[in-house]
Amino acid sequence: MPIRIAEATMTPDKFERTLIARLKFKHLKLLVTVNEQRNIFKAAQLLNMAQPAATKTIRDLENDLEVELFDRSSRGVTPTLYGDIVIKHAKLILSQVKHASEELASLKGGLSGRVTVGTLLAASASLLPSAIAKLKNERPNVSINLVEGTIDTLLGGLRIGDIDLVVGRLPKAPQDEGIASEILYYEPVVLVARKGHPLASKRNFPLKELMQYEWILPPQTTNLRQEINTALSEAGLEPPARAVESVSILANRTLLEETDMIAALPAQVALSYERSGNLIRIPVELGIKPGPIGVSLREGRELSPAAFYLLEKLHDVADNISIT
């Protein structure tokens, strides 16, 4: 049986020597897969291993390190605090190995590889799709994996190497240590509603008239939502209490077309809605200053060739975006 966590007495130097001597790439892959599946049997199947061999490998590592990496129960396994640390670094190591293989393949032949991009609402309408189209035109063998989400979830994936870069509205406050950001341009926030909306033909009306309608808003954890709440508060208004929280471009557009809802959106998203022909901007200012749109990367991590080329295309598209 492995030594219990409470009994661990290893020094940092001994941990390092043990990890170097014992950990192999197949061990790293096993730990990451068990963490994803929360089940040793399922992980072993995915890795074409026998379950007893997978269980023994984990037990041997725990004995060598003098800590438990997983808590076992009838429902499966969950990583301990020690397990979380080892798995986090295992993901980073495997990610670097993947990038090394991509660089070798790129040197040998045409550029290929895979890029995982976290996209926030502001980048989803124009910036990122246009950059991907340019990349695929020049480098058709590159695969792109898009992950939609909020800034907190996407930066979490960026830190552990699951995501190569995150594109969208950047926080105004400094980000967490280990994340580097680059501003590509600044974008205003505008109000959007359906054609024929009762407020569409009005001019110079107070913001409080907006509050009689339901709103579509980004989630509370997003930078844009915080800015909207601040702008309304400074105008003496409470944020809409019954808002639909959504970062889905398609769902938001459909809701706006079929109801009297109002949405506060980045200008490029609003422009994509206007091009559909059924939506227009509401002529009133929220009082939100244009916010920074850019790219977040893990500090100190070299991008794979494919991710580097996508970053180049993001710069190219950003240089030609017209914000009105």
Side-chain angles (χ1 to χ4, degrees), residues 282-319:
I282 297 294
V284 63
E285 293 291 332
L286 265 179
I288 297 176
K289 294 181 179 179
I293 308 300
V295 182
S296 294
L297 308 167
R298 193 163 67 83
E299 201 167 31
R301 173 185 175 182
E302 289 188 10
L303 291 175
S304 68
F308 177 78
Y309 277 107
L310 177 58
L311 182 59
E312 280 194 338
K313 298 310 170 189
L314 286 167
H315 280 100
D316 293 344
V317 173
D319 288 343

Side-chain angles (χ1 to χ4, degrees), residues 41-323:
F41 176 71
K42 290 181 180 178
Q45 282 187 315
L46 290 172
L47 297 175
N48 295 316
M49 294 178 66
Q51 180 181 0
T55 300
K56 184 178 185 301
T57 297
I58 294 173
R59 290 290 191 191
D60 288 345
L61 286 174
E62 289 176 322
N63 281 324
D64 290 335
L65 294 170
E66 299 181 7
V67 297
E68 285 190 344
L69 300 176
F70 294 96
D71 286 324
R72 283 82 167 171
S73 72
S74 59
R75 292 176 295 180
V77 296
T78 55
T80 64
L81 292 176
Y82 287 101
D84 281 333
I85 291 172
V86 176
I87 290 164
K88 178 182 71 173
H89 289 284
K91 285 184 175 183
L92 293 175
I93 293 168
L94 292 172
S95 176
Q96 289 300 105
V97 171
K98 182 188 74 170
H99 287 165
S101 67
E102 290 173 357
E103 289 193 44
L104 290 171
S106 298
L107 288 173
K108 188 175 180 180
L111 179 71
S112 59
R114 182 179 179 86
V115 186
T116 300
V117 188
T119 176
L120 299 164
L121 180 63
S124 297
S126 179
L127 172 63
L128 187 54
S130 297
I132 291 173
K134 284 179 174 289
L135 175 64
K136 293 293 287 183
N137 184 55
E138 296 180 13
R139 314 281 180 176
N141 293 326
V142 173
S143 297
I144 308 291
N145 178 34
L146 295 183
V147 181
E148 289 186 317
T150 56
I151 188 70
D152 53 338
T153 58
L154 295 179
L155 289 184
L158 182 64
R159 289 187 192 95
I160 64 175
D162 287 346
I163 294 175
D164 296 304
L165 46 88
V166 175
V167 188
R169 197 175 186 88
L170 301 174
K172 291 185 176 178
Q175 294 182 8
D176 293 350
E177 184 179 353
I179 301 294
S181 295
E182 178 182 5
I183 297 172
L184 299 177
Y185 58 88
Y186 288 85
E187 182 173 41
V189 174
V190 299
L191 294 170
V192 179
R194 66 173 178 85
K195 275 188 176 180
H197 191 282
L199 295 179
S201 59
K202 288 192 174 185
R203 295 291 184 275
N204 301 320
F205 58 87
L207 278 177
K208 66 180 180 180
E209 285 198 39
L210 298 170
M211 309 317 294
Q212 61 184 301
Y213 300 98
E214 293 191 342
W215 285 53
I216 302 171
L217 292 171
Q220 291 281 1
T221 55
T222 62
N223 306 312
L224 180 55
R225 177 64 176 274
Q226 294 167 17
E227 292 177 29
I228 293 169
N229 289 347
T230 299
L232 292 174
S233 177
E234 290 177 350
L237 302 171
E238 291 292 328
R242 295 179 294 131
V244 173
E245 294 189 354
S246 169
V247 293
S248 168
I249 287 182
L250 180 59
N252 291 354
R253 188 180 72 185
T254 302
L255 282 170
L256 289 169
E257 289 174 344
E258 297 182 357
T259 70
D260 280 341
M261 287 183 171
I262 294 170
L265 299 168
Q268 286 295 307
V269 177
L271 181 60
S272 73
Y273 288 166
E274 288 180 296
R275 288 170 179 161
S276 72
N278 296 324
L279 300 173
I280 59 171
R281 297 190 192 189
I282 297 294
V284 63
E285 293 291 332
L286 265 179
I288 297 176
K289 294 181 179 179
I293 308 300
V295 182
S296 294
L297 308 167
R298 193 163 67 83
E299 201 167 31
R301 173 185 175 182
E302 289 188 10
L303 291 175
S304 68
F308 177 78
Y309 277 107
L310 177 58
L311 182 59
E312 280 194 338
K313 298 310 170 189
L314 286 167
H315 280 100
D316 293 344
V317 173
D319 288 343
N320 292 287
I321 282 183
S322 175
I323 304 297

